[in-house]
Amino acid sequence: MTAPHRGAPRDVRLVLWLGALPMLAGAWLPWVLLRPNRLAPGEPLRLDPGWLLGAAALALLPALVGHWRRGWVWPAATAALALGIWLLGQETAAALVGQAPFARASASSGVWLYLLGAGIALFGAAQASPERRWVGWVWLGPLLAAALSGHLNAWSVVVEGRSEGARWVQELGQHLRLVGTALGLATLLGTPLAIWAADRPRVAGAALGLSSGLQTLPSLALLGLLIAPLSALADAVPALRAAGLSGIGISPALTALTLYALLPVVRGGLLGLQGVPAGVLDAARGMGMTRTQRLWRVQAPLALPLWLGGLRQAAVVLIGVAAVAALIGAGGLGTYIFKGLQSAASDLILLGAVPAALLAVAVDAGLRRLEGWLGTRLGRAE
């Protein structure tokens, strides 16, 4: 009798090797870009041979371990990512020794490639241990430890964040307000529309067609198209202008974001309500329930997970599109992205792009977990 194979499945091992390749390339490429200021060209700095060998060894470890023990892949992948974060802090701090206060030490191509490969390895680790998907998030521990201990304080993005201080917090808050308000408005508009259209195929087709058409418009084009009519409306109705309506700024941004969020909200609601099994509705009718009672006591609980899935998709889309709203004066994290693009300052771009990306990942993960929990507790429509 042969012993059971404890290694990761073949396709997962392939993913782990695909993660090892960028990590190996990243360890060899320049790790830090040292610049005399935020705009000047920089000098690329590589890892010392000892650290290069250590990073290369950890790059190969998840793929090698995956051949023998699938349960050991996630500690190896987490260690590889933790080393990348730690080396980023150490190398940037070492590069700034003896430099002027306005010098900057940025993450170079090696860091990004190494972290990309480590992320792929972590994805493979989660696939290797499907019964313990939480292992894919263990890397947050080393990241928070490095951030809270000040180990990353020499990294140029953190330096820019400290110099911006209260202004960055203000733009982050504005970004969250734009997303939250637009999502709330889309929910108020889209949920009644989905309920009304659920039993009316023609209305459902028209609602999905209209919201799909709105989402096909490029975000920047939609913002531009809204400027003229909103300006004319504000001029024609002084009360609306006094209330804050204008052709640029928050008004067109909120209008565009709300229109963008309508499709996933309406589609999620329709899929949930229309997916309730006919037998369940027949049983509710047999119990003497009215249409309203069937909606709130039977259809809504079963449709809630799918409806929440639509809200999740809308929230993730809005976090990305809200960055474009900075171009018309609505503020948000996009302010730093476009400011960095105009001045060719990559650190400012990252100051807006990194928190926006982390925010989208956190919102997606949190709502996906809530969606799964509700599906387990309430059941779900198909």
Side-chain angles (χ1 to χ4, degrees), residues 90-280:
Q90 176 190 269
E91 296 299 309
T92 50
L96 289 179
V97 173
Q99 300 293 325
F102 37 81
R104 295 288 187 270
S106 305
S108 192
S109 55
V111 175
W112 299 117
L113 261 181
Y114 191 89
L115 294 181
L116 171 65
I120 295 173
L122 278 173
F123 173 77
Q127 302 304 312
S129 302
E131 72 282 4
R132 293 181 294 179
R133 290 294 175 91
W134 54 268
V135 302
W137 296 98
V138 177
W139 60 273
L140 283 172
L143 176 62
L144 288 175
L148 296 176
S149 66
H151 185 68
L152 297 175
N153 280 356
W155 182 25
S156 56
V157 175
V158 178
V159 173
E160 294 291 350
R162 283 204 309 270
S163 65
E164 291 291 328
R167 171 74 189 281
W168 184 85
V169 176
Q170 179 185 343
E171 297 298 349
L172 175 62
Q174 177 67 1
H175 202 92
L176 293 174
R177 279 192 294 275
L178 284 173
V179 172
T181 306
L183 190 61
L185 290 173
T187 304
L188 288 176
L189 293 173
T191 301
L193 180 59
I195 293 173
W196 182 49
D199 297 329
R200 299 170 176 83
R202 290 186 178 179
V203 177
L208 288 176
L210 179 61
S211 52
S212 298
L214 289 170
Q215 208 172 55
T216 57
L217 293 174
S219 55
L220 197 55
L222 182 57
L223 289 170
L225 289 172
L226 288 172
I227 290 177
L230 289 178
S231 296
L233 186 61
D235 292 338
V237 185
L240 292 177
R241 178 179 290 279
L245 184 71
S246 64
I248 60 172
I250 295 176
S251 301
L254 275 182
T255 306
L257 292 174
T258 303
L259 293 176
Y260 264 113
L262 269 181
L263 176 60
V265 172
V266 172
R267 185 172 54 198
L270 279 174
L271 287 176
L273 291 172
Q274 293 176 342
V276 176
V280 175

